[in-house]
Amino acid sequence: MFGDGVRCLVVVGSQWGDEGKGKIVDVLAKDADWIARYQGGANAGHTVRVGEDEFILHQIPSGVLYPGKRCALGNGMVLDPVTFFQEIDELKARGHEVEDRILVSFRIQLVLSYHKLLDRAQEESRGKGAIGTTGRGIGCAYEDKVARVGVRAVDLAVPDRLRELVESGAARANDKLRALGSQAEVDAAALYDELSALAPRLSARACDVGLALRKALDRGDKVLLEGAQGAMLDVDHGTYPFVTSSNTTAGAAATGVGLGPTALDAVLGVVKAYTTRVGSGPLPTELPEEEAARLRELGAEYGATTGRPRRTGWFDAAVVRYAARLNGVTALAVSKLDVLDPLPEVKLGVGYRLNGEEVEEFPADLSTLARIEPLYETMPGWGTPSSEARRLEELPAGARAYLDRIAELTGLPIRYVSVGTRRQQIIDAQD
Ligand code: IMP
């Protein structure tokens, strides 16, 4: 994707997250100089396989496993500093020294222990209406950001200010926890001590990420902006309120790292060859449990962050068309095609019907979403493995027909097809 005038590429999930972005970013990172995340936090779980080793990255960009690549965590993220350093230390223990190659925005908001306590207490209080969050404190940290009471990385360098922010944050959190009927209580002094102990290490990584990336682009470096979650979890455009608390779509990539929108040259939309969702909320092409379980087992569909079983369904072209429009997707990467190999037939959601009429656009309200009926096309399965294919021509004919139909229904060219978890199990349609 880099080259041909593309120096800054955004990679976005175009379903409900878990599309296999980690693997695609890892593959593309080979040709990038910088890989930066622009939203979300430790709610993400990007799985990358190098040789026999599997890594699940939560906050560190997926390209970090290539030696020498520079990584950045943008201001649009919410960073849990404790688990961030745990992640770095775990990579080190497994032979990957990455700390010196990672920059963190001065302006990044921090996820503190009280955000995680509040996230869980709020979810419990929602009862049946629970969103099914990852419990990582994401929504609560973004609430504080928007309320202008958050703690940012830059605050760690100013002890008095940090103490003030932590004390007022803990007091507010304790009030909210009590109101929610939670027994948990935040100890502001212990939290301040924990953050002070991390401060020198985090401050050593902190800088103006937007400036660093602008200078890199001006030098001719290639920059990959890695999205987390997916378009249907975007706080504005997703299946609200069953969404995450950030803008996951490509427009947020510019603000989320501190570049201007004209810096973005292309957008690669990653989709799974079928659909999954973890957590509550609408999923129009969801399969009945017996069939859903089969696809779940075939695709090992368990959350990379929480281990929760993912809900599964057929590929939904209406969702991907919507996501493509929102993101300005210029090409697709289709992942996990090999998972469908054993199925006798595959279905494709081509659109929706409501009260006997075709629905043109993805509905905004939950009650309409609950009533729409997906329209399906059925295609024969291909019954032969696709996992050894390295060129489109080497794919089983049925698999190619399936991909061609996806391209037709979404109106997008398919640039990459992933046929397994290993780095080399990828097809570049331009090869
Ligand atoms: P939160 O982001 O933890 O607040 O969770 C809000 C919703 O987004 C829940 O339905 C989560 O399951 C979902 N979610 C958050 N992060 C991911 C992800 O990386 N992959 C898939 N779903 C996610």
Side-chain angles (χ1 to χ4, degrees), residues 76-163:
M77 288 184 74
V78 285
L79 177 74
D80 181 333
V82 177
T83 58
F84 171 60
F85 287 118
Q86 280 168 2
E87 213 172 316
I88 288 179
D89 292 342
E90 274 164 35
L91 286 174
K92 186 173 179 182
R94 294 175 69 185
H96 294 264
E97 184 72 73
V98 299
E99 189 159 348
D100 290 353
R101 295 190 276 121
I102 301 178
L103 300 179
V104 175
S105 169
F106 279 141
R107 298 177 172 87
I108 205 166
Q109 297 278 330
L110 300 184
V111 179
L112 304 181
S113 55
Y114 51 75
H115 294 126
K116 290 184 264 190
L117 292 173
L118 281 169
D119 188 357
R120 286 171 209 152
Q122 282 178 355
E123 275 289 87
E124 265 172 44
S125 75
R126 289 183 184 118
K128 279 196 170 152
I131 293 166
T133 71
T134 58
R136 299 296 190 268
I138 303 298
C140 301
Y142 278 117
E143 272 179 47
D144 276 0
K145 169 180 175 169
V146 176
R148 296 160 293 189
V149 292
V151 182
R152 302 186 301 164
V154 72
D155 298 319
L156 293 194
V158 191
D160 287 348
R161 174 152 177 76
L162 179 65
R163 189 184 291 279

Coordinates of all heavy atoms in Angstrom, one line a residue, residues 76-163:
G76 N -5.0 10.9 21.1 CA -6.4 10.4 21.0 C -6.6 9.1 21.8 O -7.7 8.7 22.0
M77 N -5.5 8.5 22.2 CA -5.6 7.2 23.0 C -5.8 7.6 24.5 O -5.6 8.7 24.9 CB -4.3 6.4 22.9 CG -4.0 5.7 21.6 SD -2.5 4.7 21.8 CE -3.1 3.3 22.7
V78 N -6.2 6.5 25.2 CA -6.2 6.6 26.7 C -5.3 5.5 27.2 O -5.5 4.4 26.9 CB -7.6 6.5 27.3 CG1 -8.5 7.8 27.1 CG2 -8.4 5.3 26.8
L79 N -4.3 6.0 27.9 CA -3.2 5.0 28.2 C -3.2 4.6 29.7 O -3.2 5.4 30.6 CB -1.8 5.7 27.9 CG -0.6 4.9 28.3 CD1 -0.4 3.8 27.2 CD2 0.7 5.8 28.3
D80 N -3.2 3.3 29.9 CA -3.0 2.8 31.2 C -1.5 2.6 31.4 O -0.9 1.7 30.9 CB -3.8 1.4 31.3 CG -3.7 0.8 32.7 OD1 -2.7 1.1 33.4 OD2 -4.6 0.0 33.0
P81 N -0.9 3.5 32.2 CA 0.5 3.5 32.3 C 1.1 2.2 33.0 O 2.2 1.8 32.6 CB 0.9 4.7 33.1 CG -0.4 5.1 33.8 CD -1.5 4.6 33.1
V82 N 0.3 1.7 33.9 CA 0.8 0.5 34.6 C 0.9 -0.7 33.7 O 1.9 -1.4 33.5 CB -0.2 0.1 35.8 CG1 0.3 -1.1 36.5 CG2 -0.2 1.3 36.8
T83 N -0.2 -1.0 32.9 CA -0.2 -2.1 32.0 C 0.7 -1.9 30.8 O 1.2 -2.8 30.2 CB -1.6 -2.6 31.6 OG1 -2.2 -1.5 31.0 CG2 -2.4 -3.0 32.8
F84 N 0.9 -0.6 30.5 CA 1.8 -0.3 29.3 C 3.2 -0.8 29.6 O 3.8 -1.4 28.8 CB 1.7 1.3 29.1 CG 2.7 1.8 28.2 CD1 2.7 1.4 26.8 CD2 3.7 2.8 28.6 CE1 3.6 2.0 25.9 CE2 4.6 3.3 27.7 CZ 4.6 2.9 26.4
F85 N 3.7 -0.4 30.8 CA 5.0 -0.9 31.1 C 5.1 -2.4 31.3 O 6.1 -3.0 31.0 CB 5.6 -0.1 32.3 CG 6.0 1.3 31.9 CD1 5.4 2.4 32.5 CD2 6.9 1.6 30.9 CE1 5.7 3.7 32.1 CE2 7.2 2.8 30.5 CZ 6.6 3.9 31.1
Q86 N 4.0 -3.0 31.8 CA 4.0 -4.4 31.9 C 4.1 -5.1 30.6 O 4.9 -6.0 30.4 CB 2.7 -4.9 32.6 CG 2.6 -4.8 34.1 CD 1.2 -5.0 34.6 OE1 0.3 -5.3 33.9 NE2 1.1 -4.9 35.9
E87 N 3.4 -4.5 29.6 CA 3.5 -5.0 28.2 C 4.9 -4.9 27.7 O 5.4 -5.8 27.0 CB 2.5 -4.2 27.4 CG 1.8 -4.9 26.3 CD 0.7 -4.1 25.6 OE1 -0.1 -3.4 26.3 OE2 0.7 -4.1 24.3
I88 N 5.5 -3.8 27.9 CA 6.9 -3.6 27.5 C 7.9 -4.6 28.1 O 8.7 -5.2 27.5 CB 7.4 -2.1 27.8 CG1 6.7 -1.1 26.8 CG2 8.9 -2.0 27.6 CD1 7.0 0.3 27.0
D89 N 7.7 -4.8 29.4 CA 8.5 -5.7 30.2 C 8.3 -7.1 29.7 O 9.3 -7.9 29.6 CB 8.3 -5.6 31.7 CG 8.8 -4.2 32.2 OD1 9.6 -3.6 31.5 OD2 8.4 -3.8 33.3
E90 N 7.1 -7.5 29.4 CA 6.8 -8.9 28.9 C 7.5 -9.1 27.6 O 8.1 -10.1 27.3 CB 5.3 -9.1 28.8 CG 4.7 -9.6 30.1 CD 3.2 -9.4 30.1 OE1 2.5 -9.7 29.0 OE2 2.6 -9.1 31.1
L91 N 7.4 -8.1 26.7 CA 8.1 -8.2 25.4 C 9.6 -8.4 25.6 O 10.2 -9.2 24.9 CB 7.8 -7.0 24.5 CG 6.4 -6.9 23.9 CD1 6.2 -5.6 23.2 CD2 6.1 -8.1 22.9
K92 N 10.1 -7.6 26.5 CA 11.6 -7.7 26.8 C 11.9 -9.1 27.3 O 12.9 -9.7 26.8 CB 11.9 -6.7 27.9 CG 13.4 -6.6 28.1 CD 13.8 -5.4 29.0 CE 15.3 -5.4 29.3 NZ 15.7 -4.4 30.2
A93 N 11.1 -9.6 28.2 CA 11.4 -11.0 28.7 C 11.3 -12.0 27.6 O 11.9 -13.1 27.7 CB 10.3 -11.3 29.8
R94 N 10.6 -11.7 26.5 CA 10.5 -12.7 25.4 C 11.5 -12.3 24.3 O 11.3 -12.7 23.1 CB 9.1 -12.7 24.9 CG 8.1 -13.4 26.0 CD 6.7 -13.3 25.5 NE 6.4 -14.2 24.4 CZ 5.3 -14.3 23.8 NH1 4.3 -13.5 24.2 NH2 5.1 -15.1 22.8
G95 N 12.4 -11.4 24.6 CA 13.5 -11.2 23.7 C 13.3 -10.0 22.7 O 14.1 -9.7 21.8
H96 N 12.3 -9.2 23.0 CA 12.0 -8.0 22.1 C 12.2 -6.7 23.0 O 11.3 -6.4 23.8 CB 10.6 -8.0 21.5 CG 10.5 -9.2 20.6 ND1 10.6 -9.0 19.2 CD2 10.2 -10.5 20.8 CE1 10.4 -10.2 18.6 NE2 10.2 -11.1 19.6
E97 N 13.3 -6.0 22.7 CA 13.6 -4.8 23.5 C 12.9 -3.7 22.7 O 13.4 -3.4 21.5 CB 15.1 -4.6 23.5 CG 15.7 -3.5 24.2 CD 15.5 -3.6 25.7 OE1 16.3 -4.4 26.3 OE2 14.6 -2.9 26.3
V98 N 11.9 -3.0 23.2 CA 11.1 -2.1 22.4 C 11.0 -0.7 23.0 O 10.7 0.3 22.3 CB 9.7 -2.6 22.1 CG1 9.7 -3.9 21.3 CG2 8.9 -2.7 23.3
E99 N 11.3 -0.6 24.2 CA 11.0 0.7 25.0 C 11.6 1.9 24.3 O 10.9 2.9 24.1 CB 11.5 0.6 26.4 CG 11.0 1.7 27.3 CD 11.0 1.4 28.8 OE1 11.2 0.2 29.1 OE2 10.9 2.3 29.6
D100 N 12.9 1.8 23.8 CA 13.5 3.0 23.3 C 12.9 3.5 21.9 O 13.1 4.6 21.5 CB 15.0 2.7 23.0 CG 15.8 2.6 24.3 OD1 15.2 2.9 25.3 OD2 16.9 2.2 24.2
R101 N 12.1 2.6 21.4 CA 11.5 2.9 20.0 C 10.1 3.4 20.1 O 9.4 3.6 19.1 CB 11.5 1.6 19.2 CG 12.9 1.2 18.8 CD 12.9 0.1 17.8 NE 12.7 -1.2 18.3 CZ 11.7 -2.0 18.0 NH1 10.7 -1.6 17.1 NH2 11.5 -3.2 18.5
I102 N 9.6 3.6 21.4 CA 8.2 4.0 21.5 C 8.1 5.4 22.1 O 8.7 5.7 23.1 CB 7.5 3.0 22.5 CG1 7.5 1.6 21.9 CG2 6.0 3.5 22.7 CD1 6.8 0.6 22.8
L103 N 7.3 6.2 21.4 CA 7.1 7.6 21.9 C 5.6 7.7 22.4 O 4.7 7.0 21.8 CB 7.3 8.6 20.8 CG 8.7 8.7 20.2 CD1 8.7 9.8 19.1 CD2 9.7 9.0 21.3
V104 N 5.4 8.5 23.4 CA 4.0 8.7 23.9 C 3.7 10.2 23.9 O 4.6 11.0 24.3 CB 3.9 8.2 25.4 CG1 2.6 8.5 26.0 CG2 4.3 6.7 25.5
S105 N 2.5 10.5 23.4 CA 2.1 11.9 23.4 C 2.1 12.5 24.8 O 1.6 11.9 25.7 CB 0.8 12.1 22.7 OG 0.3 13.4 22.9
F106 N 2.7 13.7 24.9 CA 2.5 14.5 26.1 C 1.1 14.6 26.5 O 0.7 14.7 27.6 CB 2.9 16.0 25.8 CG 4.4 16.3 25.8 CD1 4.9 17.2 24.9 CD2 5.3 15.7 26.8 CE1 6.3 17.5 24.9 CE2 6.6 16.0 26.8 CZ 7.1 16.9 25.8
R107 N 0.2 14.7 25.4 CA -1.2 15.0 25.6 C -2.1 13.8 25.8 O -3.3 13.9 25.9 CB -1.7 15.8 24.5 CG -1.0 17.2 24.3 CD -1.4 17.9 23.1 NE -0.9 19.3 23.1 CZ 0.3 19.6 22.5 NH1 1.1 18.6 22.0 NH2 0.8 20.8 22.6
I108 N -1.5 12.6 25.9 CA -2.3 11.4 26.0 C -3.0 11.4 27.4 O -2.4 11.8 28.4 CB -1.5 10.1 25.8 CG1 -2.3 8.9 25.4 CG2 -0.7 9.8 27.1 CD1 -1.4 7.8 24.8
Q109 N -4.3 11.0 27.4 CA -5.0 10.9 28.7 C -4.6 9.6 29.4 O -4.5 8.5 28.7 CB -6.5 10.9 28.5 CG -7.0 12.2 27.8 CD -7.2 13.3 28.8 OE1 -7.5 13.1 30.0 NE2 -7.1 14.5 28.4
L110 N -4.5 9.6 30.7 CA -4.2 8.4 31.4 C -5.4 7.7 32.0 O -6.3 8.3 32.5 CB -3.2 8.7 32.6 CG -1.9 9.3 32.2 CD1 -1.0 9.5 33.4 CD2 -1.2 8.5 31.1
V111 N -5.4 6.4 31.9 CA -6.4 5.5 32.5 C -5.9 5.2 33.9 O -4.8 4.6 34.0 CB -6.7 4.2 31.7 CG1 -7.8 3.4 32.4 CG2 -7.1 4.5 30.3
L112 N -6.6 5.6 34.9 CA -6.1 5.3 36.3 C -7.0 4.2 36.9 O -8.0 3.9 36.4 CB -6.2 6.6 37.1 CG -5.4 7.8 36.5 CD1 -5.5 9.0 37.3 CD2 -3.9 7.4 36.3
S113 N -6.5 3.8 38.1 CA -7.2 2.6 38.7 C -8.7 2.9 39.0 O -9.5 2.1 38.8 CB -6.5 2.3 40.1 OG -6.5 3.5 40.9
Y114 N -9.0 4.2 39.3 CA -10.4 4.5 39.5 C -11.3 4.4 38.3 O -12.5 4.1 38.4 CB -10.6 5.8 40.3 CG -10.0 7.1 39.8 CD1 -10.5 7.8 38.7 CD2 -8.9 7.7 40.5 CE1 -10.0 9.0 38.3 CE2 -8.4 8.9 40.0 CZ -8.9 9.5 38.9 OH -8.4 10.7 38.5
H115 N -10.7 4.6 37.1 CA -11.5 4.5 35.9 C -11.9 3.0 35.7 O -13.0 2.7 35.3 CB -10.7 4.9 34.7 CG -10.4 6.4 34.7 ND1 -9.1 6.9 34.5 CD2 -11.2 7.5 34.8 CE1 -9.2 8.2 34.6 NE2 -10.4 8.6 34.8
K116 N -11.0 2.1 36.1 CA -11.4 0.7 35.9 C -12.4 0.3 36.9 O -13.3 -0.5 36.6 CB -10.1 -0.2 36.0 CG -9.2 0.0 34.8 CD -7.9 -0.8 34.9 CE -6.8 -0.1 35.5 NZ -5.5 -0.8 35.3
L117 N -12.3 0.8 38.2 CA -13.3 0.5 39.2 C -14.7 1.0 38.8 O -15.7 0.3 38.9 CB -12.9 1.1 40.6 CG -11.7 0.5 41.2 CD1 -11.3 1.3 42.5 CD2 -11.9 -1.0 41.6
L118 N -14.7 2.2 38.3 CA -15.9 2.8 37.8 C -16.5 2.1 36.6 O -17.8 1.9 36.6 CB -15.7 4.3 37.5 CG -15.6 5.3 38.6 CD1 -15.2 6.6 38.2 CD2 -17.0 5.4 39.3
D119 N -15.7 1.7 35.7 CA -16.2 1.0 34.5 C -16.9 -0.3 35.0 O -18.1 -0.5 34.5 CB -14.9 0.6 33.6 CG -15.3 0.0 32.3 OD1 -16.5 -0.2 32.0 OD2 -14.4 -0.3 31.5
R120 N -16.3 -1.0 35.9 CA -17.0 -2.3 36.3 C -18.2 -2.0 37.1 O -19.3 -2.6 37.0 CB -16.0 -3.1 37.1 CG -15.0 -3.8 36.2 CD -13.8 -4.4 36.9 NE -12.7 -4.4 36.0 CZ -11.4 -4.4 36.4 NH1 -11.1 -4.4 37.6 NH2 -10.4 -4.3 35.5
A121 N -18.2 -1.0 38.0 CA -19.4 -0.7 38.8 C -20.5 -0.2 37.9 O -21.7 -0.5 38.1 CB -19.0 0.4 39.9
Q122 N -20.2 0.6 36.9 CA -21.3 1.1 36.0 C -21.9 0.0 35.2 O -23.1 -0.1 35.1 CB -20.7 2.1 35.0 CG -20.5 3.5 35.6 CD -19.8 4.5 34.6 OE1 -19.5 4.1 33.5 NE2 -19.7 5.7 35.0
E123 N -21.0 -0.9 34.8 CA -21.6 -2.1 34.0 C -22.5 -2.9 34.9 O -23.6 -3.3 34.5 CB -20.4 -3.0 33.5 CG -19.8 -2.5 32.2 CD -20.7 -2.7 31.0 OE1 -21.5 -1.9 30.8 OE2 -20.6 -3.8 30.4
E124 N -22.1 -3.1 36.1 CA -23.0 -3.9 37.0 C -24.3 -3.2 37.2 O -25.3 -3.8 37.2 CB -22.3 -4.1 38.4 CG -21.5 -5.4 38.5 CD -20.7 -5.5 39.7 OE1 -21.2 -5.2 40.8 OE2 -19.5 -6.0 39.6
S125 N -24.2 -1.9 37.4 CA -25.5 -1.2 37.6 C -26.4 -1.1 36.4 O -27.6 -0.9 36.5 CB -25.2 0.3 38.1 OG -24.8 1.0 37.0
R126 N -25.8 -1.4 35.2 CA -26.7 -1.4 34.0 C -27.5 -2.6 33.9 O -28.5 -2.7 33.1 CB -25.8 -1.3 32.8 CG -25.2 0.1 32.6 CD -24.4 0.2 31.3 NE -23.8 1.5 31.2 CZ -22.5 1.7 31.2 NH1 -21.6 0.7 31.2 NH2 -22.0 2.9 31.2
G127 N -27.2 -3.7 34.7 CA -28.0 -4.9 34.6 C -28.1 -5.5 33.2 O -27.1 -5.6 32.5
K128 N -29.3 -5.7 32.8 CA -29.6 -6.3 31.5 C -29.1 -5.4 30.3 O -28.9 -5.8 29.2 CB -31.0 -6.6 31.3 CG -31.4 -7.9 31.9 CD -32.8 -8.3 31.4 CE -33.0 -9.8 31.9 NZ -34.4 -10.1 32.0
G129 N -29.0 -4.1 30.6 CA -28.6 -3.1 29.6 C -27.1 -2.9 29.5 O -26.7 -2.0 28.9
A130 N -26.4 -3.8 30.2 CA -24.9 -3.7 30.2 C -24.4 -3.7 28.7 O -24.9 -4.4 27.8 CB -24.3 -4.8 31.0
I131 N -23.3 -2.9 28.5 CA -22.7 -2.7 27.2 C -21.8 -3.9 26.9 O -21.6 -4.3 25.8 CB -21.9 -1.4 27.1 CG1 -22.9 -0.2 27.2 CG2 -21.1 -1.3 25.9 CD1 -22.2 1.1 27.5
G132 N -21.3 -4.6 28.0 CA -20.3 -5.6 27.8 C -19.0 -5.0 27.5 O -18.2 -5.5 26.6
T133 N -18.6 -4.0 28.3 CA -17.3 -3.4 28.1 C -16.2 -4.3 28.4 O -16.4 -5.4 29.1 CB -17.1 -2.1 28.9 OG1 -16.9 -2.5 30.3 CG2 -18.2 -1.1 28.8
T134 N -15.0 -3.9 28.1 CA -13.8 -4.8 28.4 C -13.3 -4.6 29.8 O -12.4 -5.3 30.3 CB -12.6 -4.5 27.4 OG1 -12.3 -3.1 27.6 CG2 -13.0 -4.7 26.0
G135 N -13.9 -3.7 30.5 CA -13.6 -3.4 31.9 C -12.2 -2.8 32.1 O -11.7 -2.8 33.2
R136 N -11.7 -2.2 31.0 CA -10.4 -1.5 31.1 C -10.4 0.0 31.4 O -9.4 0.6 31.3 CB -9.6 -1.7 29.8 CG -9.4 -3.2 29.4 CD -8.5 -3.9 30.4 NE -8.1 -5.2 29.9 CZ -8.7 -6.3 30.2 NH1 -9.8 -6.3 30.9 NH2 -8.2 -7.5 29.7
G137 N -11.6 0.4 31.8 CA -11.7 1.8 32.2 C -11.8 2.8 31.1 O -11.6 4.1 31.3
I138 N -12.0 2.4 29.9 CA -11.8 3.2 28.7 C -12.9 4.3 28.7 O -12.5 5.5 28.6 CB -12.0 2.3 27.4 CG1 -11.0 1.2 27.4 CG2 -11.9 3.2 26.1 CD1 -9.5 1.6 27.4
G139 N -14.1 4.0 28.8 CA -15.2 5.0 28.7 C -15.1 6.0 29.8 O -15.3 7.2 29.6
C140 N -14.7 5.6 31.0 CA -14.6 6.5 32.2 C -13.4 7.5 32.0 O -13.5 8.6 32.4 CB -14.5 5.7 33.5 SG -15.9 4.6 33.7
A141 N -12.3 7.0 31.4 CA -11.2 7.9 31.1 C -11.6 8.9 30.0 O -11.2 10.1 30.2 CB -10.0 7.1 30.6
Y142 N -12.3 8.5 29.0 CA -12.8 9.5 28.0 C -13.8 10.4 28.6 O -13.8 11.6 28.2 CB -13.3 8.7 26.8 CG -12.3 8.3 25.8 CD1 -12.2 6.9 25.5 CD2 -11.5 9.2 25.1 CE1 -11.2 6.5 24.6 CE2 -10.5 8.7 24.2 CZ -10.4 7.4 23.9 OH -9.5 6.9 23.0
E143 N -14.6 10.0 29.5 CA -15.5 10.9 30.2 C -14.8 12.0 30.9 O -15.1 13.2 30.8 CB -16.3 10.1 31.3 CG -17.6 9.5 30.8 CD -18.3 8.8 32.0 OE1 -18.4 9.4 33.1 OE2 -18.6 7.6 31.9
D144 N -13.7 11.6 31.6 CA -12.9 12.6 32.3 C -12.2 13.6 31.3 O -12.1 14.8 31.6 CB -11.9 12.0 33.2 CG -12.5 11.6 34.5 OD1 -13.7 11.8 34.8 OD2 -11.7 11.0 35.4
K145 N -11.8 13.0 30.2 CA -11.1 13.9 29.2 C -12.1 15.0 28.7 O -11.8 16.2 28.7 CB -10.7 13.0 28.0 CG -10.3 13.8 26.8 CD -9.9 12.9 25.6 CE -9.6 13.7 24.4 NZ -8.9 12.9 23.3
V146 N -13.3 14.5 28.4 CA -14.3 15.5 27.8 C -14.8 16.4 28.9 O -15.1 17.6 28.6 CB -15.5 14.7 27.1 CG1 -16.5 15.7 26.6 CG2 -14.9 13.9 26.0
A147 N -14.8 16.0 30.1 CA -15.2 16.8 31.3 C -14.1 17.8 31.7 O -14.2 18.6 32.6 CB -15.7 16.0 32.4
R148 N -12.9 17.6 31.0 CA -11.7 18.4 31.3 C -11.2 18.3 32.7 O -10.7 19.3 33.3 CB -12.0 19.9 30.9 CG -12.3 20.1 29.5 CD -13.1 21.3 29.1 NE -14.5 21.2 29.7 CZ -15.4 22.1 29.4 NH1 -15.2 23.1 28.6 NH2 -16.6 22.0 30.0
V149 N -11.2 17.0 33.2 CA -10.7 16.8 34.5 C -9.7 15.6 34.4 O -9.3 15.0 35.5 CB -11.8 16.5 35.6 CG1 -12.5 17.8 35.9 CG2 -12.7 15.4 35.2
G150 N -9.3 15.2 33.2 CA -8.4 14.1 33.1 C -7.0 14.4 33.5 O -6.6 15.5 33.6
V151 N -6.2 13.3 33.6 CA -4.8 13.4 33.9 C -4.0 13.0 32.6 O -4.3 12.0 32.1 CB -4.3 12.5 35.1 CG1 -2.8 12.7 35.4 CG2 -5.2 12.7 36.3
R152 N -3.1 13.9 32.2 CA -2.4 13.6 30.9 C -0.9 13.3 31.3 O -0.4 13.6 32.3 CB -2.4 14.8 30.0 CG -3.9 15.3 29.7 CD -3.9 16.4 28.7 NE -3.2 17.6 29.1 CZ -2.8 18.6 28.3 NH1 -3.0 18.5 27.0 NH2 -2.1 19.6 28.8
A153 N -0.3 12.6 30.3 CA 1.1 12.2 30.5 C 2.0 13.4 31.0 O 2.8 13.3 31.9 CB 1.7 11.6 29.2
V154 N 1.7 14.6 30.4 CA 2.5 15.7 30.7 C 2.4 16.1 32.2 O 3.3 16.7 32.8 CB 2.2 16.9 29.8 CG1 0.8 17.5 30.1 CG2 3.2 17.9 29.7
D155 N 1.3 15.8 32.8 CA 1.1 16.1 34.2 C 2.0 15.4 35.2 O 2.2 15.8 36.3 CB -0.4 15.9 34.6 CG -1.3 16.7 33.8 OD1 -1.0 17.9 33.6 OD2 -2.4 16.2 33.4
L156 N 2.5 14.2 34.7 CA 3.4 13.4 35.6 C 4.7 14.2 35.9 O 5.4 13.9 36.9 CB 3.7 12.1 34.9 CG 2.6 11.1 34.7 CD1 3.2 9.7 34.4 CD2 1.7 11.0 36.0
A157 N 5.1 15.1 35.0 CA 6.3 15.8 35.3 C 6.2 17.0 36.3 O 7.1 17.7 36.6 CB 6.8 16.3 33.9
V158 N 4.9 17.2 36.7 CA 4.7 18.4 37.6 C 4.0 17.8 38.9 O 2.8 17.7 39.0 CB 3.8 19.4 36.9 CG1 3.7 20.7 37.7 CG2 4.2 19.7 35.5
P159 N 4.8 17.5 39.9 CA 4.3 16.7 41.1 C 3.1 17.4 41.7 O 2.1 16.7 42.1 CB 5.5 16.6 42.0 CG 6.7 16.7 41.1 CD 6.3 17.6 40.0
D160 N 3.2 18.7 41.9 CA 2.1 19.4 42.6 C 0.7 19.3 41.9 O -0.3 19.0 42.4 CB 2.4 20.9 42.9 CG 3.4 21.0 43.9 OD1 3.7 20.0 44.6 OD2 4.0 22.2 44.0
R161 N 0.9 19.5 40.6 CA -0.3 19.4 39.7 C -0.9 18.0 39.7 O -2.1 17.7 39.8 CB 0.0 19.8 38.3 CG -1.1 19.7 37.3 CD -1.0 20.7 36.2 NE -2.1 20.4 35.2 CZ -3.4 20.7 35.4 NH1 -3.7 21.3 36.6 NH2 -4.3 20.4 34.6
L162 N 0.0 17.0 39.6 CA -0.4 15.6 39.6 C -1.1 15.3 40.9 O -2.2 14.7 40.9 CB 0.8 14.7 39.5 CG 0.5 13.2 39.5 CD1 -0.3 12.8 38.2 CD2 1.8 12.4 39.5
R163 N -0.6 15.7 42.1 CA -1.2 15.4 43.3 C -2.6 16.0 43.4 O -3.6 15.3 43.8 CB -0.4 16.0 44.5 CG -0.9 15.5 45.9 CD -0.1 16.1 47.0 NE 1.3 15.7 47.1 CZ 1.7 14.5 47.6 NH1 0.8 13.7 48.1 NH2 2.9 14.2 47.7

